Amino acid sequence: MRIRKSFVIAGISAVFVIFIAALVIIANFDSLRHKTQVAFYGLNEVQVKAFEAELASVTDKNGKIVHYAFTVLDDRVPLAEQLSSRTDLLVSAAGASLDEAVASVPAKKMDSYALEQTVLSGMYSSVAAFSMRNDKGRILALPLLVDPVEILLNAQTLSQTGMRKISSINMLGDYASKSRGTVYFPVVFAGADARSFVDMTGALAESLSGSGAFDEAVKLVRSEKSRSAEDLVKDLCAGENAPFNKAATLLSEWTRGRIIMNDVYNLEDKGLPALMRENMCAAVFTDLSSHRQFEFEALRHFVSVPDASGETLPFVPSERPLITRRLSAGVICAVPLSKEKGTGYAVARLVSSGAQESLSRATGLGPVLADSAVPDRQADDARFWIAASDVPFVPFSRAAFTDGEFLDAFATALKIYIRNGQF
């Protein structure tokens, strides 16, 4: 009897343990199931952490914390190939990959997730106009932060050359040429980084040939995906009317004239601060997000380009009036992909004045709200000058390419074309 009783007690205990374990598993599954799923695409590590930190404090209407789960997607692979049906909110760099991903979701579904135009309230007009909309005018992709392509100048070298303003690319070339007596590298950029190099070339194309040339180049690449990288480069650069002709010709002339040293085409982004710190360069092509990762010792001698009025320009200068220009700037957007309440709470938070200030402070990028506080002049300048121009261009690498491998091939072909002076 005692043995039987022991078996019964043991059996009851086992059932009880299994029951408790099942409850724990169900509770954990339920908790996971109710986490709003957020995916990031095309953001760097600093930017991802900034968004994660901001969303960690989101609360619902009852003051309870809303829980989010985060996934970082590979931005060398087209976004449409990675977008999961389980994703509730996408935070992505704007460009061709985002366009194709949104187009891959049935229009009726996207319309049910889309935002009302009131969500644009408080944004400066050029960025509000940048927002992706459907044929009903509802917002599919909401701008959150801006990241301009820019040029930094060595203030000491600028003073030594006696130049007080740089209001065109020709003046930038004169400055760089005069700097050869004081620095070894007059003009530098991250030539080994495909995105940096292609984005710089695209920004120069807009400055020298206008926004129409930039648009033409983007359409050409996106419509000719079956062509080789070498053929695309020829289509973009060969002939006076080719959209990248003036930009590529300028870079070729600067290379032959040793304004751009051959070593620069092999320079990685992380190599720029060392040259800046040692006063070895006069002008640096970069973007605001890269600029934010340079240490103070590298930046302390550098300023944004001064224009004729004494203002500093956080973008590539041009003889064209600012009001007619579309500056190159990365835009980080939020795309709702479900009716999950956590999605709505997240969007409302990210576009609030408080979140815009903290995101700008954490990332160093420009906010999209006109009245949002900013951490410093660089972020404020980014916002101010884009507000003063037309709707910004997405930098060329994002605007035209969805595949990282093909972008690398294109950048390599473009460098060879420029260095060989094949015009």
Side-chain angles (χ1 to χ4, degrees), residues 116-168:
E116 299 300 331
Q117 292 192 39
T118 52
V119 76
L120 302 174
S121 177
M123 289 188 189
Y124 42 98
S125 60
S126 60
V127 151
F130 178 89
S131 59
M132 188 189 302
R133 310 179 192 211
N134 64 12
D135 56 6
K136 297 179 183 178
R138 303 186 73 211
I139 310 303
L140 303 178
L142 179 69
L144 297 174
L145 294 170
V146 292
D147 179 15
V149 174
E150 63 176 9
I151 300 174
L152 299 174
L153 301 183
N154 188 320
Q156 292 182 358
T157 306
L158 196 63
S159 176
Q160 289 167 352
T161 60
M163 298 186 71
R164 297 180 179 275
K165 64 178 182 178
I166 306 288
S167 55
S168 69

Side-chain angles (χ1 to χ4, degrees), residues 188-190 267-276 284-286 294:
V188 298
F189 47 84
L267 185 65
E268 295 183 352
D269 195 59
K270 62 185 180 183
L272 293 176
L275 298 180
M276 296 166 68
V284 182
F285 280 82
T286 185
F294 298 161

Side-chain angles (χ1 to χ4, degrees), residues 22 81 88 93 123 129 135 138 165 174 185 212 227 231 271 312 322 370 378 388 400 405-406 411 420:
E81 296 178 10
D88 298 303
M123 289 188 189
D135 56 6
R138 303 186 73 211
K165 64 178 182 178
D174 289 343
F185 296 98
R227 291 175 69 78
D231 286 344
T312 53
L322 183 63
Q378 282 78 26
E405 189 174 330
F406 187 61
N420 289 344

Side-chain angles (χ1 to χ4, degrees), residues 34-152:
H34 284 92
K35 281 186 178 179
T36 302
Q37 304 293 312
V38 180
F40 298 105
Y41 183 85
L43 278 65
N44 65 29
E45 186 177 351
V46 170
Q47 293 157 4
V48 168
K49 287 182 177 178
F51 277 96
E52 288 179 347
E54 194 60 44
L55 293 177
S57 57
V58 172
T59 57
D60 64 16
K61 60 183 180 182
N62 298 316
K64 292 183 178 180
I65 291 289
V66 181
H67 296 286
Y68 296 91
F70 304 108
T71 304
V72 178
L73 305 178
D74 183 355
D75 78 338
R76 289 183 58 79
V77 177
L79 175 57
E81 296 178 10
Q82 303 178 78
L83 199 58
S84 168
S85 60
R86 294 190 299 274
T87 301
D88 298 303
L89 177 67
L90 173 66
V91 179
S92 172
S97 228
L98 179 59
D99 293 347
E100 291 185 5
V102 170
S104 71
V105 180
K108 191 172 182 179
K109 268 192 174 183
M110 284 304 302
D111 184 58
S112 69
Y113 309 146
L115 306 167
E116 299 300 331
Q117 292 192 39
T118 52
V119 76
L120 302 174
S121 177
M123 289 188 189
Y124 42 98
S125 60
S126 60
V127 151
F130 178 89
S131 59
M132 188 189 302
R133 310 179 192 211
N134 64 12
D135 56 6
K136 297 179 183 178
R138 303 186 73 211
I139 310 303
L140 303 178
L142 179 69
L144 297 174
L145 294 170
V146 292
D147 179 15
V149 174
E150 63 176 9
I151 300 174
L152 299 174

Side-chain angles (χ1 to χ4, degrees), residues 175-205:
Y175 158 72
S177 183
K178 290 178 180 179
S179 76
R180 282 183 297 189
T182 57
V183 299
Y184 182 73
F185 296 98
V187 171
V188 298
F189 47 84
D193 182 87
R195 287 202 185 280
S196 295
F197 176 64
V198 170
D199 290 346
M200 176 195 70
T201 308
L204 283 171

Side-chain angles (χ1 to χ4, degrees), residues 201-202 204-206 208-210 212-218 220 234-248:
T201 308
L204 283 171
E206 182 279 329
L208 294 167
S209 303
F214 190 101
D215 270 332
E216 182 185 347
V218 171
L220 184 64
K234 289 178 183 176
D235 290 344
L236 288 172
C237 299
E240 284 188 21
N241 296 322
F244 272 22
N245 177 264
K246 290 182 180 178

